[in-house]
Amino acid sequence: MVDKVEWTIGSQVPDFSLPASNGEEIALSDFRGRKVVLFFYPKNMTPTCTEEACSFRDNFSALEQAGAVVIGISPDPPKSHTRFIDKHSLPYLLLSDEEHKVSDMFGVWQMKKMFGREYMGIVRSTFLIDENGKLAAQWRKVKVKGHVEAVLAAVLS
């Protein structure tokens, strides 16, 4: 179990590993030396999550040319991630956080409300981690429209 972290720009992001859509266990430290765009989203195949995932797909080559790795994280199991990737031709890995350990560590596993019902879930958020594993930027309670462009601008700066 990883403790919650104080998320300030420049702070070291703790390493973690999760099962990935490619069948491997992927650790954040695997990408040391490259910028990492880590986006947390609630659920595969839902309209807003699909819009966000496809926006990262559509800007993937620009992010990659800027030296960034794109990784999505949701509580969905790896098989669901594989179907999501296949259906929408996503060119990046999706990690499965079924026990919410990493989502909780990042502070994005929170109480949510919809139609008067309360439940725990992921609050859509994105984190930019620099080549040394430090937090370079963060976006919480993300609105999808224009978000990936803001992330790309931060990666380029």
Side-chain angles (χ1 to χ4, degrees):
M1 177 68 184
V2 181
D3 292 330
K4 282 189 181 170
V5 175
E6 190 63 41
W7 294 103
T8 55
I9 302 305
S11 63
Q12 190 69 39
V13 177
D15 196 21
F16 64 83
S17 65
L18 289 170
S21 48
N22 65 359
E24 296 176 23
E25 187 82 9
I26 299 295
L28 180 60
S29 58
D30 294 343
F31 304 101
R32 199 54 51 84
R34 295 186 69 188
K35 293 177 183 169
V36 177
V37 173
L38 201 59
F39 74 98
F40 289 84
Y41 65 99
K43 188 152 182 55
N44 291 336
M45 306 294 187
T46 57
T48 307
C49 293
T50 299
E51 181 185 348
E52 181 181 29
C54 290
S55 186
F56 275 110
R57 175 200 65 203
D58 297 345
N59 289 278
F60 179 76
S61 62
L63 287 159
E64 196 174 46
Q65 285 172 1
V69 174
V70 176
I71 300 171
I73 297 180
S74 84
D76 297 294
K79 277 187 178 178
S80 175
H81 283 331
T82 302
R83 287 192 298 274
F84 193 44
I85 286 169
D86 291 346
K87 183 170 183 173
H88 298 288
S89 303
L90 305 179
Y92 48 81
L93 288 173
L94 297 177
L95 305 184
S96 182
D97 190 17
E98 291 181 274
E99 295 174 11
H100 327 119
K101 287 180 181 164
V102 175
S103 304
D104 198 38
M105 178 181 85
F106 276 83
V108 301
W109 185 254
Q110 298 176 14
M111 184 63 69
K112 297 170 77 174
K113 259 188 188 171
M114 189 188 301
F115 306 119
R117 187 176 75 88
E118 288 190 335
Y119 63 97
M120 293 300 288
I122 286 184
V123 174
R124 190 179 314 281
S125 304
T126 302
F127 299 87
L128 175 59
I129 301 162
D130 74 12
E131 298 86 345
N132 300 311
K134 294 181 190 259
L135 185 64
Q138 60 183 324
W139 298 263
R140 293 179 181 270
K141 298 182 180 174
V142 164
K143 301 289 183 238
V144 173
K145 191 166 181 63
H147 174 60
V148 174
E149 291 78 4
V151 172
L152 178 57
V155 169
L156 289 168
S157 68

